Amino acid sequence: MAGQVDNDVDVEVLVIGAGVVGIYALYRALEAGFSAQTLEAGDGVGGVWYWNRYPSARFDSESYTYAYIFSKELFDEWRWKEEFATQPEIEGYLNFVVDRFDLRESIRTGEKVVSAVHDEANNVWTVRTEKGTVLRARWVISATGGLSVPHYPEIEGLEDFRGEAHHTGAWPHTPLDFAGKRVAIIGNGPSGAQLLPAIVDTVASVDLYQRTPTWTTPLNNAPISDERQEWLSDNFDEIVKILCTSPSGFLHTPAGKFSTADSPEQRQAFYETIWKSPGFAKLTSNYYDMTTNREVNLEFCEFLANKIRSIVTDPVTAERLIPTDHLFGAKRPPFVADYYESFNKPNASLVSLRETPILRIDATGIETTERHRDYDIIVYATGFDFGTGALTRMGVRGRQGLDLGVDWEDGPCDFGGFSAHLLPNFFFPGGPHGAGGGNYPRYSQDQVDWILGTLMYAREHGYDVFEPTAAQQELWMTMIEELAPRSIFSAEHSHYYGANVQGKVRKFLLNPGGRGKLHEILNEVSSTENYGGAFTRAAVTAAAGAAVGAE
Ligand code: NAP
């Protein structure tokens, strides 16, 4: 069959996943005139905002900057209640978008993809789901997310617990009744930190099991007033411009100065302003040299440590909550209201796993080296198999026997954080090396836009294969390796290095070059003929493959 191309596909563009990125990819594919369908594992749309439904799960990026910005009408029609919206509102918004743009009939929910295999001779991807659905597609956009595979801790006896046990990332749809219950939360990342204050006044008792203290700072949320809404609407074009060009994808106003511009007293006053600033502004509006100058970062950490000491009344608990192994920003900091205040409630306590590690979980609770505690509910707020978790479990097979689950055991190799050599016509926006360390949907939007541009270019120029060359991939991966040590998220014991999953290779999983490098490298590629050889025609590929095989 070499040289012949089977055009018998079910759909031109198959999107996997109906989260924030997948919904956008489907919208753009249909808008561009491709036939497109989505397969989604969940029984509803929303991705992480469908699965993470624990109490008080919410954005810690401003609602209107995290949401879609491709339509001014949509921006005006959806009225966010708060600067940082909660999960039910976000899920409602994503469903609204799906209906508003007539996407629902193109999305098949309850269809978990278990294999995606490329047939090189026919230039077709065959995608299978757990239920047995099979779809053949020319192009696949796997928007399966970096935080979609919950990570459970490797603790003896996990299965023995007879109470209720749930991971924050796989929360039950029937609301959990916390009233009067004895609860353990394991993990104090953004998920665990959000959950604690949300339940502390309802439960009989709650113990937070902390392995590594985090620099948690207040979210500083607020309702969106009519005036604010009007301002947002009036400034839509300017907002879009900033969100599409700022390195972090946020609207926050930069500090405009280095720490050296201020006296020690002025710096303390500035830190007070930063403490009161919303969400990620604590990073993006801080001194320019906050993440590059160790001394100034240490000074800010001391300011934060004193805040913790001033809030938490028990001095021993306060000291346990203060990080000693990483600077502010080196790990992704949680932004949560009333986190430290929760430890002042008589029914809340902190268990420091550094001092008293967990020995085992049994039928009734958790045993540490200190003692056994009984629980009705255990919550695993223990994070995700970040970046590669979904892609390596999906049975992805490319050319020349590439098996993503095996080939990425040494870490992901990709181009642009959304495509890879030997994976023709397969894209994974929001995948490893996708996010630059700020507002996820804005980075993924850049990627989806580029992918759709690629598909349109192929259609216009008669190409039907896009596959980054080995050289293009090497260029990108060299950038990742060279700049990784300079990333602000430099703590090698974080999930951004895969360190939270036992046995996972430690490789940096963000794009340390940020948007700047992404666009620089993409522009370099797209300004050359055939995108430097990344575009080919399937008949040529198949014939060449046959010729090689015949040698
Ligand atoms: P995470 O940041 O990876 O935190 C996991 C927590 O579980 C850490 O405290 C970790 O301790 C602990 N842990 C893991 N394995 C453990 C074990 N075996 N024993 C004891 N403790 C263990 O996970 P997350 O809080 O779910 O957040 C993940 C990402 O989701 C965030 O980075 C963020 O991007 C996103 N998120 C965003 C929001 C939002 O507000 N928009 C909310 C939640 C999550 P160590 O630090 O010692 O590993």
Side-chain angles (χ1 to χ4, degrees):
M1 293 292 283
Q4 290 184 12
V5 177
D6 180 2
N7 282 317
D8 183 22
V9 291
D10 298 306
V11 67
E12 286 173 286
V13 180
L14 176 60
V15 179
I16 306 176
V20 174
V21 180
I23 292 171
Y24 181 57
L26 177 67
Y27 166 77
R28 292 279 281 115
L30 291 170
E31 185 204 26
F34 293 100
S35 65
Q37 271 208 25
T38 293
L39 295 173
E40 160 59 48
D43 289 331
V45 304
V48 291
W49 301 108
Y50 171 86
W51 297 106
N52 289 260
R53 26 197 344 122
Y54 58 87
S56 196
R58 68 168 74 233
F59 285 156
D60 59 7
S61 302
E62 283 80 355
S63 312
Y64 43 85
T65 70
Y66 193 101
Y68 299 116
I69 51 172
F70 63 83
S71 157
K72 164 88 165 113
E73 290 73 34
L74 172 62
F75 192 83
D76 285 341
E77 281 167 28
W78 184 268
R79 175 82 199 258
W80 292 103
K81 294 192 188 81
E82 295 173 278
E83 289 284 321
F84 302 97
T86 55
Q87 180 274 333
E89 195 182 359
I90 302 162
E91 195 185 10
Y93 167 76
L94 293 171
N95 275 281
F96 175 77
V97 172
V98 163
D99 292 329
R100 167 74 172 73
F101 294 96
D102 291 329
L103 304 177
R104 201 168 293 277
E105 65 181 29
S106 305
I107 301 174
R108 293 165 73 163
T109 54
E111 292 277 16
K112 183 177 180 181
V113 171
V114 290
S115 90
V117 178
H118 188 247
D119 169 0
E120 189 178 358
N122 293 300
N123 190 32
V124 167
W125 279 93
T126 302
V127 176
R128 289 188 160 75
T129 71
E130 215 165 47
K131 277 188 188 162
T133 300
V134 179
L135 284 179
R136 289 154 56 83
R138 179 74 66 233
W139 310 92
V140 173
I141 302 179
S142 180
T144 37
L147 294 162
S148 46
V149 177
H151 166 67
Y152 290 82
E154 305 77 11
I155 300 174
E156 187 191 319
L158 213 72
E159 303 301 326
D160 298 338
F161 183 60
R162 293 286 157 257
E164 288 225 46
H166 299 286
H167 192 287
T168 47
W171 202 258
H173 276 244
T174 316
L176 205 56
D177 182 12
F178 279 102
K181 302 280 169 57
R182 298 160 302 171
V183 180
I185 302 173
I186 303 180
N188 56 306
S191 304
Q194 282 184 343
L195 181 63
L196 174 68
I199 62 170
V200 69
D201 290 328
T202 311
V203 297
S205 68
V206 53
D207 298 326
L208 186 114
Y209 285 75
Q210 168 195 274
R211 191 164 61 181
T212 314
T214 53
W215 292 114
T216 300
T217 51
L219 182 62
N220 298 319
N221 194 9
I224 297 181
S225 64
D226 291 344
E227 295 71 38
R228 175 86 174 137
Q229 187 64 34
E230 203 174 315
W231 182 89
L232 289 169
S233 181
D234 289 349
N235 290 279
F236 176 74
D237 291 339
E238 184 60 17
I239 290 171
V240 169
K241 202 166 125 198
I242 296 171
L243 295 180
C244 290
T245 52
S246 65
S248 60
F250 289 115
L251 268 188
H252 309 139
T253 313
K257 58 185 173 184
F258 287 85
S259 59
T260 44
D262 285 340
S263 67
E265 294 73 29
Q266 286 169 327
R267 288 205 295 276
Q268 290 302 314
F270 179 73
Y271 296 149
E272 282 292 347
T273 318
I274 288 293
W275 174 262
K276 294 184 184 120
S277 68
F280 273 89
K282 284 147 202 111
L283 276 166
T284 54
S285 298
N286 217 319
Y287 289 126
Y288 291 149
D289 51 345
M290 177 53 62
T291 52
T292 52
N293 180 334
R294 185 178 161 79
E295 291 313 309
V296 66
N297 196 307
L298 279 171
E299 184 180 79
F300 185 54
C301 288
E302 190 51 29
F303 169 87
L304 296 177
N306 286 332
K307 281 285 181 199
I308 298 170
R309 291 180 187 114
S310 71
I311 297 170
V312 180
T313 47
D314 172 35
V316 176
T317 302
E319 291 310 313
R320 284 183 176 139
L321 285 165
I322 296 170
T324 52
D325 68 343
H326 66 278
L327 297 175
F328 178 71
K331 280 183 88 165
R332 199 277 205 194
F335 306 108
V336 179
D338 297 328
Y339 176 65
Y340 297 118
E341 288 81 349
S342 300
F343 293 101
N344 293 337
K345 310 266 177 174
N347 62 339
S349 67
L350 181 73
V351 180
S352 168
L353 297 179
R354 295 272 178 234
E355 292 160 56
T356 55
I358 296 175
L359 292 175
R360 65 188 62 81
I361 293 176
D362 59 24
T364 57
I366 300 177
E367 186 179 347
T368 66
T369 51
E370 181 204 6
R371 68 181 175 94
H372 186 278
R373 294 173 177 86
D374 287 339
Y375 294 111
D376 303 305
I377 299 173
I378 297 179
V379 176
Y380 299 109
T382 43
F384 300 85
D385 185 350
F386 177 72
T388 51
L391 284 166
T392 52
R393 284 171 172 80
M394 218 167 59
V396 180
R397 302 285 169 88
R399 286 200 307 119
Q400 294 180 14
L402 178 96
D403 177 344
L404 224 51
V406 175
D407 287 62
W408 280 12
E409 275 175 8
D410 295 330
C413 267
D414 58 89
F415 171 75
F418 59 78
S419 64
H421 184 57
L422 301 182
L423 278 183
N425 297 1
F426 189 95
F427 302 95
F428 41 89
H433 305 140
N439 195 346
Y440 266 39
R442 300 287 71 84
Y443 294 119
S444 306
Q445 176 188 314
D446 291 354
Q447 294 181 315
V448 172
D449 288 348
W450 203 83
I451 292 164
L452 261 299
T454 302
L455 300 200
M456 289 192 277
Y457 183 97
R459 187 172 57 189
E460 278 158 28
H461 293 81
Y463 295 112
D464 51 13
V465 180
F466 173 85
E467 179 189 334
T469 64
Q472 287 165 348
Q473 182 156 296
E474 197 181 325
L475 175 79
W476 172 259
M477 290 305 297
T478 303
M479 182 280 289
I480 299 282
E481 276 152 36
E482 282 179 4
L483 297 188
R486 285 199 247 151
S487 162
I488 57 165
F489 297 110
S490 58
E492 291 195 15
H493 53 275
S494 87
H495 63 289
Y496 289 149
Y497 273 89
N500 59 324
V501 177
Q502 227 174 42
K504 187 169 174 175
V505 67
R506 292 202 183 189
K507 286 281 173 71
F508 194 57
L509 296 168
L510 298 176
N511 164 16
R515 277 181 144 172
K517 277 288 170 194
L518 176 74
H519 287 293
E520 185 188 310
I521 291 177
L522 292 185
N523 290 342
E524 204 176 307
V525 167
S526 59
S527 61
T528 54
E529 178 71 14
N530 298 346
Y531 285 29
F535 281 114
T536 49
R537 295 184 173 89
V540 176
T541 309
V548 171
E551 276 171 11

